[in-house]
Amino acid sequence: MSSNSDRVETATLALRRAIVEQALKAGTKLPEDEIGRHFSMSRTLVRAVLAKLQTQGLVDTYHKRTATVAQPSLEEARDVFAVRRALEREAMKAVIKRWSPAIEKALRSHVSEEEEAHTKGDARLSTRLAGEFHLKLATLSCNALLERYLFELVSRCSLILAMYSRPHSSECAISEHSALIAALKTGDATAAERLMDEHLISVETRALIANEGDDHPDLGSILARYSGDTSS
């Protein structure tokens, strides 16, 4: 039987993935009783899950009877991207210092996964993998604090893009990620930082208009889809 901490982690990962992959859109209500029934957990544990997601900027529980997927404003979005650009530059510097064939292999393997998802036409998976490329860079920096902050920022950016971005081809991100790997391999920190800035500015400029979609998603069916796959 799984421990309470395991169940909290499982539910947190499932909900985070559903939000990042844009299955649960901004403003969607997250009733404690429905989440509790799905994951067989008490309200106390559900609140722990929602609290963790709130610290990641994905859920809003302030002064609300029912938690909702967060709805960052455009002003907040600009602030998030500004901080993210600064931290991503630091990640690039750190990875260059530690560069090795093993790091190159890990990054290129991830880009191959992105290409496979694009070929299959799996837009949700492509969206998640695009963000996880940056999380992998943060992990490879071997700076735990940098990794922690970028995890939060990349999650928030995924939510922002879900709210405001216009449709675009995932081929852009894949080619840009490949270019970043090439820049890292050269050891030219200035060029690598410049490419990262250009890449993130490109991502930010996609956050221009709101997507239209189902305003009333079936939370139960979404949880069923995501609770079965919560690997990182």
Side-chain angles (χ1 to χ4, degrees), residues 90-134:
E90 293 303 312
M92 295 291 276
K93 290 178 186 175
V95 172
I96 281 178
K97 289 179 180 177
R98 302 188 62 255
W99 189 258
S100 69
I103 289 177
E104 180 178 4
K105 181 179 179 181
L107 292 174
R108 292 198 184 280
S109 175
H110 188 89
V111 170
S112 293
E113 290 183 47
E114 293 184 65
E115 291 171 338
E116 184 178 356
H118 172 71
T119 299
K120 291 180 178 178
D122 191 335
R124 295 192 190 281
L125 180 58
S126 293
T127 296
R128 174 167 61 81
L129 289 174
E132 288 182 355
F133 174 84
H134 294 266

Side-chain angles (χ1 to χ4, degrees), residues 23 29 47 84 97-98 107 119 128 141 152 173 190:
K29 290 184 177 181
R47 287 167 187 158
R84 179 177 170 183
K97 289 179 180 177
R98 302 188 62 255
L107 292 174
T119 299
R128 174 167 61 81
S141 75
E152 178 180 332
T190 300

Side-chain angles (χ1 to χ4, degrees), residues 40-160:
S40 301
M41 53 187 357
S42 66
R43 281 181 176 268
T44 299
L45 294 182
V46 172
R47 287 167 187 158
V49 170
L50 296 174
K52 292 184 72 169
L53 292 169
Q54 183 176 331
T55 63
Q56 296 173 16
L58 297 178
V59 166
D60 184 4
T61 62
Y62 294 117
H63 310 302
K64 293 186 177 181
R65 296 186 63 183
T66 302
T68 62
V69 177
Q71 302 180 78
S73 67
L74 279 173
E75 183 178 359
E76 291 171 326
R78 294 187 191 99
D79 290 342
V80 167
F81 273 102
V83 175
R84 179 177 170 183
R85 285 196 299 273
L87 293 186
E88 293 261 25
R89 287 194 292 270
E90 293 303 312
M92 295 291 276
K93 290 178 186 175
V95 172
I96 281 178
K97 289 179 180 177
R98 302 188 62 255
W99 189 258
S100 69
I103 289 177
E104 180 178 4
K105 181 179 179 181
L107 292 174
R108 292 198 184 280
S109 175
H110 188 89
V111 170
S112 293
E113 290 183 47
E114 293 184 65
E115 291 171 338
E116 184 178 356
H118 172 71
T119 299
K120 291 180 178 178
D122 191 335
R124 295 192 190 281
L125 180 58
S126 293
T127 296
R128 174 167 61 81
L129 289 174
E132 288 182 355
F133 174 84
H134 294 266
L135 297 180
K136 188 169 288 290
L137 276 174
T139 299
L140 292 170
S141 75
C142 285
N143 182 323
L145 198 58
L146 186 61
E147 182 179 1
R148 172 186 165 190
Y149 289 144
L150 276 174
F151 181 88
E152 178 180 332
L153 289 168
V154 171
S155 295
R156 291 192 185 196
C157 285
S158 296
L159 178 58
I160 289 163

